[in-house]
Amino acid sequence: MAKNYDLIVIGAGPGGYTAAIRAAGFGMKVVVIDEEKLGGVCVNRGCIPTKALLYASNIFSMMQHSDEFGVSTDFISFDFSKMQAYKRRSVQKYRREIEKLFEKNGIDFVKGKAKIRREKTVEVLGEDGREYYHAHNIIIATGAKPIMPQIPGIDQVGVVNSDRLLSAKTWSFDRIVIMGGGVIGVEFATIFQALCSKVTIVEKGPHLLGPMDMEVALALERQLTKKGITVYCNSTVDEISNGDGLSCVVKNHVSGAVHRIKASQVVVATGRKPYTEQLFGEDVSLQTKNGVLVLDKDFMTSEAGIYAIGDVTGQTMLAHVAMAQATFVVETIAGRPHTIRLEAVPNGMYVSLPIVPNCIYTVPEIATVGITEQTAQVFGMKVRCGVFSMNENGKSIIAREEDGFIRLIFEAYTNTIVGAQMVCPRATDMIGEMATAIANGLTAEQLMRAMRAHPTYSEGITAAIEDAMKGE
């Protein structure tokens, strides 16, 4: 006999656990099912462990230049196994906080492989055998998995994806080739360059970071190159061999140039795809397009009462997007007013503005929200832009982190903010102010009313607004 719930959530990552906690707060009886630990990929093998290693490696990098600040030391070194232990402690503490919220809200967690059957029944194969669960509503939040390109040698020892890289216990990264110049690729490049690895990034597109603003991507590429990272764009790794260590054949598909690069490790960071393997029983058929679930505006699948959120949707693959979608869907199910916007249409605008912050934890950090000047031109929108170089910012000068800029884009007639791009320290923290401003249709004049403390990085926002409004 099936156990009955108001809501079944399949997947215990940020989207899944947010949905569960939100639903329990509305009085629903909730069960969350996952094959692995609570927290999903983000907490256990993605966002949290990556950022922990970024933090640790940046401390080592800063200490190498401590003499500039009058701090002297005879010898600086790092212990990779201790860094990994610090990372694991960070993950465990974060996961424990989620577990406390589940306990507080009476949410059940079941570890096992879920399969959706007819009439909104879920079959779970776990450690205790086969069990069945039934609910009025189901949320699919199973996430995504790394894509492994089919090239000769991809199965060689020493070729790893991002998930496996984070579990490494010993140091073997003196020379590392990273396949893919997206967010995952450049963050790993930042970690290992800071730990004195010889890093090469191979990106098939014309620049790093794919669809991100060209000027932002080029600014990052200049910084990475300045730090000693080799970047090959318009290029792919066509073959990996293992003779005297790993060797990658890199081909530039514009010039035709071929390079052979030695590596101790090859990291595959060429993207992720929705994970739905063995999720649906023979008695369930949900509509898909190009292998991705078809959803309506409320994230409902072709079967009423079954929803999908997060990376499994094949849309923007970010943890905070999954969490926002989780809140939106649970409020829909509960018949409650929506407390979160997934896009904004400010007063007087004829185009929806994305309000999802995109954050990259390189050095310097990168954060963007809204639209770029180029996108505005595509829409036929007249804009005014303000730019501030961080080499004029007091906090940046103190910290010796002057590289970077803040650019703000305003609609030309109303002075409403429509976009922001930041390449500077603490950009990932400051972008929240810009996302709030875009979501609420704030103007340059309204943004100028609040003081920003001195000296702070956020003073650059004020300066960028003033630059945009020159002559007004």
Side-chain angles (χ1 to χ4, degrees), residues 240-269:
I240 304 170
S241 58
N242 196 345
D244 183 19
L246 292 172
S247 180
C248 299
V249 175
V250 177
K251 183 176 181 180
N252 185 298
H253 294 284
V254 174
S255 68
V258 176
H259 305 271
R260 187 173 289 274
I261 304 170
K262 293 283 188 180
S264 52
Q265 294 279 316
V266 177
V267 179
V268 181

Side-chain angles (χ1 to χ4, degrees), residues 340-415:
I340 193 162
R341 291 182 179 179
L342 303 177
E343 59 181 16
V345 185
N347 291 336
M349 294 289 175
Y350 53 87
V351 61
S352 296
L353 301 176
I355 53 176
V356 175
N358 290 283
C359 299
I360 305 172
Y361 296 81
T362 48
V363 179
E365 293 183 345
I366 295 173
T368 68
V369 68
I371 61 175
T372 64
E373 185 177 4
Q374 292 76 21
T375 304
Q377 290 172 353
V378 171
F379 289 141
M381 180 189 295
K382 291 190 175 183
V383 296
R384 62 176 83 238
C385 300
V387 182
F388 175 71
S389 172
M390 295 302 284
N391 61 19
E392 302 171 26
N393 176 263
K395 186 68 177 290
S396 295
I397 292 171
I398 293 167
R400 295 294 187 267
E401 296 178 309
E402 297 108 311
D403 291 318
F405 60 85
I406 293 175
R407 184 198 294 116
L408 304 180
I409 297 99
F410 297 89
E411 198 272 333
Y413 299 111
T414 62
N415 293 337

Side-chain angles (χ1 to χ4, degrees), residues 12 33-41 44-45 109-112:
I33 304 165
D34 200 296
E35 298 175 73
E36 300 186 26
K37 296 175 182 177
L38 189 60
V41 170
N44 297 293
R45 301 194 307 278
F109 177 65
V110 175
K111 189 173 182 180

Side-chain angles (χ1 to χ4, degrees), residues 49-66 69 76-78 80 83 86 171 187-196 223-224 227 361-365 399-401 424-426 428 457:
T50 302
K51 280 34 173 196
L53 285 181
L54 277 162
Y55 187 78
S57 63
N58 190 48
I59 289 176
F60 173 70
S61 179
M62 290 174 62
M63 288 300 294
Q64 289 178 298
H65 305 283
S66 63
F69 302 96
I76 296 292
S77 66
F78 70 88
F80 191 65
M83 282 187 173
Y86 151 73
W171 179 260
E187 288 188 349
F188 277 121
T190 300
I191 291 171
F192 289 102
Q193 182 278 326
L195 299 178
C196 303
Q223 288 299 311
L224 296 180
K227 295 174 187 293
Y361 296 81
T362 48
V363 179
E365 293 183 345
R400 295 294 187 267
E401 296 178 309
C424 61
R426 300 295 176 90
T428 60
Y457 297 117

Side-chain angles (χ1 to χ4, degrees), residues 51-117:
K51 280 34 173 196
L53 285 181
L54 277 162
Y55 187 78
S57 63
N58 190 48
I59 289 176
F60 173 70
S61 179
M62 290 174 62
M63 288 300 294
Q64 289 178 298
H65 305 283
S66 63
D67 189 61
E68 184 177 355
F69 302 96
V71 179
S72 300
T73 182
D74 294 331
F75 181 71
I76 296 292
S77 66
F78 70 88
D79 185 323
F80 191 65
S81 63
K82 287 185 178 180
M83 282 187 173
Q84 291 286 48
Y86 151 73
K87 177 208 73 178
R88 286 192 295 274
R89 290 195 302 272
S90 300
V91 168
Q92 289 164 1
K93 184 172 183 179
Y94 196 101
R95 188 170 59 237
R96 181 55 188 154
E97 293 305 312
I98 301 171
E99 290 170 353
K100 289 178 181 177
L101 288 171
F102 270 43
E103 292 165 4
K104 178 181 177 181
N105 288 279
I107 301 166
D108 292 336
F109 177 65
V110 175
K111 189 173 182 180
K113 175 65 177 175
K115 181 174 289 188
I116 300 174
R117 310 303 299 262

